[in-house]
Amino acid sequence: MIKNICAGIVLFNPNIERLNENINAIKGQVSKIFLYDNNSDNISQIENLVKKNNNLILIKGKRNNGIAYALNKIIEISYNNKFSWCLTLDQDSICSSNLISSFLKYIKKDRVAIICPFILNNDKYTVESMKKLNLPKCQIIVDPMKCITSASLTNINIIRSLGGFNEKLFIDCVDTDINCRIIGHDYKILQDNEAYLLQTMGKAKKIGILNALYSLTNLDFFRKVMNVPVYGDLRLYYMSRNSRYIRKTYHNPSKKVSFTYMLTQFLYFTVFFPINRSRVKIWRAVIKGFNDYKNIK
């Protein structure tokens, strides 16, 4: 079965050490790894890394066309190389050593479009705390926000039949958009809770008082908010724009793209982002994104 599985990693100015960890974690689990580079400044370092690994293929983009475009290129080259499944990965995420072997238990189930792992992001969960949750071994995902692109084992034929990833989104909500279409067409997204992914969302900043409150109360709310991911203003623009596009395009997609949820999230960023960030620029980006959603067609 592994002969039918490849991996694809989208690159943009990656930290080479972290990328190397990423590759080492997955290269023994798949037949081939395709790297699509979005015109990185450190392309020479990436090329040197590729030379040291036999099963890597590097595709160099002439400019940064966004993550959705890169994912479509990876799906296309995977299909042309006769692979049935592609594990899509972010450049800074590390897979568990049992990821693919665990996924194989579900790969032949009917109408499965994606198999994803449990996500350990920004130290909000540890492997130990994940195990204490007593989750089912596998569950069907019905909320499109609860499955991300990174470490998702993707059924190539199904994704192609749905038109691939929406390149006009560029970045953010790309996974939510495809998940909405998957669920809307009665395909399945499975979460395998015996496998996991170590993920970094933005440059995480630990909030001391919230961390202390979590230690004192052990309340799940404080665990979720004690590490704030720090995004640039351009990323906030896409978050605002694309979440509104999802709200307007799909029926009841997820509470996590609702106006109230997104407003609360941007207020949270406003309070807890580093003090040197301009709050005026943050909200200009958010408001511009909110107004620009209609330009996505």
Side-chain angles (χ1 to χ4, degrees):
M1 289 299 298
I2 292 178
K3 291 181 180 179
N4 293 326
I5 300 173
C6 64
I9 307 176
V10 179
L11 307 179
F12 182 66
N13 297 335
N15 177 294
I16 297 299
E17 184 177 343
R18 182 74 170 180
L19 176 59
N20 190 46
E21 287 183 63
N22 185 345
I23 291 169
N24 286 337
I26 198 60
K27 67 180 181 181
Q29 302 188 56
V30 296
S31 295
K32 189 78 68 177
I33 302 174
F34 300 107
L35 306 177
Y36 186 91
D37 181 70
N38 267 327
N39 197 28
S40 294
D41 295 331
N42 58 345
I43 187 64
S44 59
Q45 291 179 290
I46 296 169
E47 289 172 328
N48 288 335
L49 182 60
V50 169
K51 290 176 184 177
K52 298 175 183 177
N53 293 273
N54 293 329
N55 63 338
L56 299 188
I57 294 179
L58 175 64
I59 306 104
K60 294 188 285 187
K62 295 181 179 179
R63 58 183 179 273
N64 184 4
N65 287 309
I67 192 168
Y69 179 90
L71 287 169
N72 281 335
K73 287 297 182 183
I74 287 171
I75 292 297
E76 179 184 349
I77 194 171
S78 300
Y79 176 79
N80 291 338
N81 280 269
K82 311 299 182 184
F83 288 105
S84 301
W85 295 82
C86 179
L87 183 77
T88 54
L89 286 164
D90 292 343
Q91 62 192 20
D92 55 0
S93 301
I94 310 298
C95 296
S96 61
S97 59
N98 71 327
L99 190 85
I100 297 299
S101 62
S102 190
F103 283 178
L104 287 176
K105 299 192 295 287
Y106 310 106
I107 206 167
K108 290 187 177 181
K109 288 188 176 292
D110 187 45
R111 297 188 70 81
V112 173
I114 288 177
I115 308 169
C116 62
F118 190 92
I119 306 298
L120 306 175
N121 59 1
N122 292 348
D123 297 324
K124 292 180 181 180
Y125 277 112
T126 64
V127 176
E128 292 72 25
S129 61
M130 175 191 75
K131 291 178 179 178
K132 291 178 182 178
L133 295 174
N134 294 319
L135 296 169
K137 290 183 178 180
C138 184
Q139 61 192 98
I140 296 176
I141 297 295
V142 294
D143 184 336
M145 285 288 286
K146 290 190 175 180
C147 172
I148 65 171
T149 303
S150 192
S152 283
L153 186 60
T154 302
N155 186 312
I156 293 170
N157 286 332
I158 290 177
I159 295 302
R160 293 180 78 249
S161 73
L162 295 175
F165 297 91
N166 187 343
E167 296 176 12
K168 292 183 179 179
L169 296 179
F170 193 80
I171 191 171
D172 217 272
C173 289
V174 171
D175 38 20
T176 305
D177 177 79
I178 193 70
N179 292 345
C180 285
R181 281 181 277 145
I182 288 168
I183 295 169
H185 284 79
D186 201 29
Y187 291 111
K188 296 176 185 175
I189 301 173
L190 303 181
Q191 180 173 301
D192 180 354
N193 292 317
E194 294 182 301
Y196 63 85
L197 175 76
L198 297 173
Q199 186 204 27
T200 301
M201 297 175 64
K203 296 180 180 179
K205 175 189 174 186
K206 181 166 284 190
I207 310 301
I209 188 170
L210 298 179
N211 187 44
L213 287 169
Y214 175 63
S215 299
L216 286 171
T217 65
N218 204 34
L219 290 176
D220 197 50
F221 171 78
F222 292 120
R223 177 193 59 77
K224 291 179 178 178
V225 300
M226 66 184 183
N227 292 314
V228 57
V230 181
Y231 299 113
D233 295 339
L234 184 60
R235 182 65 184 273
L236 296 176
Y237 164 84
Y238 283 117
M239 290 172 69
S240 178
R241 187 192 73 157
N242 294 355
S243 61
R244 192 179 186 198
Y245 169 80
I246 296 294
R247 290 197 299 272
K248 295 291 186 179
T249 304
Y250 300 104
H251 175 67
N252 194 26
S254 173
K255 291 180 180 179
K256 290 188 176 181
V257 292
S258 69
F259 175 82
T260 302
Y261 184 92
M262 294 304 299
L263 178 61
T264 301
Q265 188 173 39
F266 293 135
L267 290 171
Y268 168 65
F269 293 156
T270 302
V271 173
F272 292 112
F273 267 15
I275 195 67
N276 63 337
R277 288 288 295 278
S278 168
R279 270 54 184 173
V280 172
K281 289 182 178 179
I282 285 175
W283 280 97
R284 280 178 180 169
V286 169
I287 293 168
K288 180 172 172 51
F290 185 83
N291 291 328
D292 283 356
Y293 90 96
K294 56 184 174 295
N295 296 329
I296 305 172
K297 297 179 181 179

